Amino acid sequence: MRWVWRGLLGVAILLPAAALARPLAFVLNSDDASISIIDMATRREIRREPVLRQPHHITLSPDGKLVLAGDTVGNQILYLDPETGRILRRQTISDPYQLMFSPDGRVLTVTGLARNQVDIYAFTDATGLTLLHRVPARSMPSHIAYAPDSSVVYVSLQGSNRLMAISVRSGAVLWDVPVGETPAGVLWDHDHVLVGLMGEDGIAVVDPTDGHVLRMVRTGRGAHNLFFSPDGRLIYVTNRVAGTITVLDRASLTVLRDYRVPGGPDDIEFAPDGTLWVTQRFDHGVLFLDPRTGTYSRINVGRSPHGIFLNTDRHTHRTEEP
Amino acid sequence: MIDPFDSIAGYVQLHVLVPLLWHLDLMRWEDLAYGWALFAVYGAAQVALMFALCVPLERLFPVERWPDQRVVLTDIFYTVVQRVGVLPLVTFVGFYEVQARLNGFLTDHGYVPPTLERFLPFLMGWPVATFLLYAIILDFADYWRHRISHRIGWWWALHSLHHAQRQMTFWSDDRNHVLDDLIGALWFGAIALLIGVSPMQFPLLVLFLRLLESLSHANARIDFGPVLGRVLVSPRFHRAHHGVGAYGARSCNFGAVFPWWDMLFGTADFSRDYVPTGDPSGDEALASGSYLAQQMAGLRRLLGRGKQPAAVQ
Ligand SMILES: [Zn+2]
Ligand SMILES: [Zn+2]
């Protein structure tokens, strides 16, 4: 029975080490029904947390205590511990695709891509999500952005080439207008809404009062999602068809440079050391891009990695003005 | 470790499908295209593997020998179209908006399709076990779909296309009328609303099950014996289902993967030896026509114009 004692001893040695929390990264493997938990310091995958069917997107709760991940085909929202990556509880929600908290932290908007609906929920730690409004949408509501005062939420309708604006308080549709071929990522910036157009070669600059397109900025074929740099001076755009990430000067929206990034770049997060962590949607990888040199390394994760979250102290909200 | 099929699918997606979708203004289907690339790559692997396995078996232990095998070509066409996912893809895109509306309608009425893990929480975190349980339940559902399709006149008119082949080979598994395939898709869609869909991350397990279904049609004297033959459907078992005297309601052995349901519900027949196959009650076009001729003959039979099934009670 010596192995029993050795086993216990092993557990005793390992447990304190595990208790010493190291910053973790979470990558949602959408076609592998798992979440890769990665040690940010070593960039090694520690383990894969199994989920039900198809996880896509992930976001931090306003108080920073929980990570919410949506499992679309599993019809579940998972609540994970950002320190350990363990699933704490689950809530049944139909087809949760994108999910994002408002800047004031009071509501969570969830898009039901496969059910043509946008849900607005109230959230508390104790009760989880409570539905406030369910708004019927045209085909494939996908990405989300808020006005800085949290009064309006903007949702791209990937299957109908439109962008819609919804009043957060009433759930009323303010406008719903064409913006270009296959709109995806949405970002509020300086009184404008920026929309990545996957079916075109850049982003649309949209007037938030009525949705009309003011101008286009060329970034690359298949412009997909947009992210502010941590210092708020730059905007990074992933271009799926071109296989590039374009850097825009935020003030002028002029192109500063392009990085070649293979594997179908999708979502980006920023590590404290300045590295961009990029999910490679069609190459089962996470790529670490050094923006100073344009060089990168990568690790393998599961099939079709989509949403990514880095549990860093300086994690800032996407729509926050710097 | 990344399996090579995944890498091939990723390459096809990045270098062929995504640029193509962009040029055709179809980028909204990008995610679907990747799913299809995986399906098609694994489907091609299925075809290659069943070819490598079944051709030697059919050569070594043939049940029948045919001087002219041209009618098998049509079955090869059915197989390729089905296994690389042309029909599933067309069906998915064609019914996408209907499906989205149905999903929205159900959500509005407070219905969220569950998963087996919700009924059986101990399955949570055990995806392979969950997959196998889904496989068993879906095979059970398929047994009844298949059995009923032999009993209802108009449905048998469609399904008789599958039975018309007199030169049955491992290629014959996918020869079905498109409407019969569509009914099958709706059948499983309805079940998905009740118990959700299986975990989808095990294409190698799917590959094994599909291989078994192909093998069960092989023109080969293969019997799994008294024990394994009662666990998995063997070529001998399924050949009895296709026997000339066993068309329509008179058939037996409806199971596709597991013979358990036939044993349980009294439709198993382990005694029938390697019988000739075919359905003498149908038009000749169903057996030896081209793909289109077979589909049209099935449609004619459905509309009551062709030769009518004598077998339905
Ligand atoms: Zn049959
Ligand atoms: Zn058959």
Side-chain angles (χ1 to χ4, degrees):
Chain A
M1 295 291 275
R2 209 183 308 173
W3 56 272
V4 174
W5 297 110
R6 288 212 176 135
L8 283 175
L9 195 65
V11 170
I13 292 166
L14 288 173
L15 268 182
L20 275 176
R22 309 191 65 174
L24 299 179
F26 298 64
V27 175
L28 276 59
N29 303 310
S30 60
D31 281 346
D32 243 346
S34 66
I35 300 178
S36 289
I37 309 292
I38 300 166
D39 181 334
M40 282 186 61
T42 60
R43 293 180 181 171
R44 283 230 179 96
E45 186 176 2
I46 301 169
R47 62 169 203 283
R48 276 186 204 174
E49 192 72 39
V51 302
L52 285 181
R53 299 292 180 274
Q54 208 177 100
H56 279 282
H57 290 282
I58 185 163
T59 194
L60 187 68
S61 66
D63 62 8
K65 286 185 194 153
L66 290 168
V67 181
L68 282 71
D71 183 336
T72 54
V73 179
N75 295 314
Q76 253 185 8
I77 286 199
L78 303 152
Y79 297 87
L80 297 101
D81 182 333
E83 307 301 330
T84 64
R86 299 286 173 201
I87 296 171
L88 301 173
R89 55 182 208 266
R90 303 155 184 273
Q91 188 174 2
T92 299
I93 299 279
S94 176
D95 182 35
Y97 186 64
Q98 287 270 358
L99 60 177
M100 189 184 270
F101 281 99
S102 57
D104 63 10
R106 294 166 96 143
V107 301
L108 179 83
T109 297
V110 175
T111 52
L113 181 92
R115 60 183 159 98
N116 295 352
Q117 290 170 335
V118 179
D119 294 349
I120 299 175
Y121 293 92
F123 174 77
T124 65
D125 269 2
T127 57
L129 298 168
T130 314
L131 186 66
L132 299 174
H133 307 293
R134 175 160 287 148
V135 186
R138 292 178 204 245
S139 185
M140 296 185 186
S142 68
H143 293 65
I144 305 164
Y146 292 90
D149 65 0
S150 301
S151 63
V152 180
V153 60
Y154 303 91
V155 176
S156 58
L157 303 168
Q158 212 165 301
S160 45
N161 303 333
R162 287 166 170 264
L163 185 73
M164 76 192 288
I166 302 167
S167 160
V168 170
R169 189 174 305 150
S170 69
V173 177
L174 303 174
W175 47 258
D176 173 355
V177 296
V179 287
E181 196 63 46
T182 321
V186 193
L187 193 64
W188 174 283
D189 178 53
H190 292 137
D191 300 328
H192 295 128
V193 179
L194 308 180
V195 188
L197 297 172
M198 283 182 90
E200 302 189 19
D201 58 1
I203 62 172
V205 183
V206 172
D207 183 340
T209 57
D210 58 4
H212 87 264
V213 176
L214 299 167
R215 66 189 176 103
M216 289 281 300
V217 178
R218 272 181 86 140
T219 58
R221 286 184 179 180
H224 179 65
N225 211 348
L226 312 94
F227 305 86
F228 289 129
S229 61
D231 65 8
R233 290 205 181 131
L234 307 171
I235 295 173
Y236 290 94
V237 182
T238 49
N239 304 305
R240 191 85 123 246
V241 185
T244 56
I245 292 176
T246 298
V247 191
L248 299 173
D249 173 56
R250 187 174 175 188
S252 61
L253 294 184
T254 51
V255 175
L256 300 178
R257 69 175 292 184
D258 284 318
Y259 300 106
R260 282 221 69 81
V261 174
D266 201 309
D267 282 350
I268 301 177
E269 279 267 279
F270 300 89
D273 65 2
T275 314
L276 277 65
W277 289 43
V278 187
T279 49
Q280 295 176 290
R281 195 72 190 277
F282 308 122
D283 197 23
H284 34 71
V286 174
L287 182 141
F288 313 105
L289 175 71
D290 182 343
R292 287 162 293 234
T293 61
T295 55
Y296 57 79
S297 58
R298 66 179 291 287
I299 59 166
N300 282 329
V301 290
R303 199 181 287 135
S304 199
H306 198 177
I308 180 167
F309 166 75
L310 307 188
N311 187 28
T312 61
D313 294 338
R314 38 181 262 175
H315 196 269
T316 50
H317 209 279
R318 261 178 50 154
T319 49
E320 221 168 80
E321 298 281 336
Chain B
M1 202 199 78
I2 306 297
D3 79 61
F5 300 134
D6 274 18
S7 303
I8 298 169
Y11 185 89
V12 170
Q13 170 75 354
L14 281 166
H15 299 282
V16 181
L17 298 177
V18 166
L20 196 67
L21 292 175
W22 190 84
H23 281 287
L24 297 174
D25 281 349
L26 291 172
M27 278 301 279
R28 76 198 56 175
W29 301 112
E30 189 208 32
D31 204 12
L32 170 71
Y34 183 56
W36 178 70
L38 284 165
F39 186 100
V41 167
Y42 279 96
Q46 278 168 26
V47 174
L49 205 65
M50 75 193 214
F51 187 82
L53 183 79
C54 295
V55 165
L57 290 175
E58 291 191 339
R59 289 269 161 80
L60 286 172
F61 318 107
V63 178
E64 298 173 329
R65 289 171 201 277
W66 311 294
D68 179 356
Q69 294 193 47
R70 258 174 300 178
V71 292
V72 175
L73 287 175
T74 319
D75 288 4
I76 296 177
F77 180 76
Y78 276 106
T79 305
V80 171
V81 167
Q82 186 68 34
R83 302 272 166 131
V84 303
V86 176
L87 277 178
L89 183 72
V90 170
T91 313
F92 186 89
V93 172
F95 286 86
Y96 182 84
E97 281 305 317
V98 176
Q99 176 79 49
R101 267 181 214 183
L102 178 66
N103 292 345
F105 175 83
L106 292 172
T107 307
D108 268 341
H109 289 77
Y111 184 74
V112 179
T115 55
L116 281 183
E117 292 95 324
R118 202 157 102 195
F119 302 126
L120 306 167
F122 61 86
L123 285 172
M124 206 82 82
W126 297 95
V128 175
T130 308
F131 175 92
L132 293 176
L133 188 56
Y134 270 100
I136 292 169
I137 293 173
L138 295 178
D139 192 64
F140 170 74
D142 198 47
Y143 166 83
W144 284 105
R145 180 199 61 79
H146 188 188
R147 194 170 159 184
I148 296 166
S149 77
H150 276 250
R151 292 300 295 258
I152 298 175
W154 61 265
W155 202 347
W156 166 252
L158 297 173
H159 180 54
S160 68
L161 195 161
H162 179 70
H163 283 261
Q165 181 59 282
R166 290 185 299 267
Q167 294 190 14
M168 191 172 83
T169 65
F170 66 93
W171 296 108
S172 303
D173 183 38
D174 292 306
R175 58 172 291 136
N176 286 304
H177 200 277
V178 284
L179 292 177
D180 200 15
D181 278 334
L182 193 65
I183 296 166
L186 291 173
W187 182 272
F188 285 107
I191 292 161
L193 292 180
L194 296 176
I195 61 165
V197 294
S198 159
M200 290 162 278
Q201 66 269 38
F202 305 111
L204 289 173
L205 288 176
V206 175
L207 191 142
F208 171 75
L209 295 177
R210 297 293 273 135
L211 196 66
L212 203 69
E213 287 174 300
S214 294
L215 180 68
S216 73
H217 290 86
N219 173 36
R221 289 179 182 274
I222 296 171
D223 187 352
F224 289 169
V227 180
L228 187 62
R230 281 168 174 74
V231 178
L232 294 171
V233 166
S234 70
R236 183 174 182 263
F237 186 84
H238 194 63
R239 176 165 284 264
H241 174 71
H242 278 263
V244 272
Y247 55 83
R250 274 186 270 162
S251 197
C252 59
N253 302 358
F254 297 94
V257 175
F258 307 112
W260 317 341
W261 322 117
D262 287 295
M263 289 153 68
L264 205 61
F265 299 108
T267 50
D269 186 346
F270 290 95
S271 68
R272 290 193 206 187
D273 222 342
Y274 300 96
V275 287
T277 66
D279 167 22
S281 73
D283 282 335
E284 179 55 28
L286 285 167
S288 56
S290 65
Y291 176 84
L292 276 178
Q294 290 183 11
Q295 295 294 320
M296 291 310 292
L299 207 58
R300 273 201 306 278
R301 196 174 198 185
L302 172 72
L303 299 171
R305 305 232 175 86
K307 244 168 109 178
Q308 283 309 297
V312 177
Q313 294 160 345

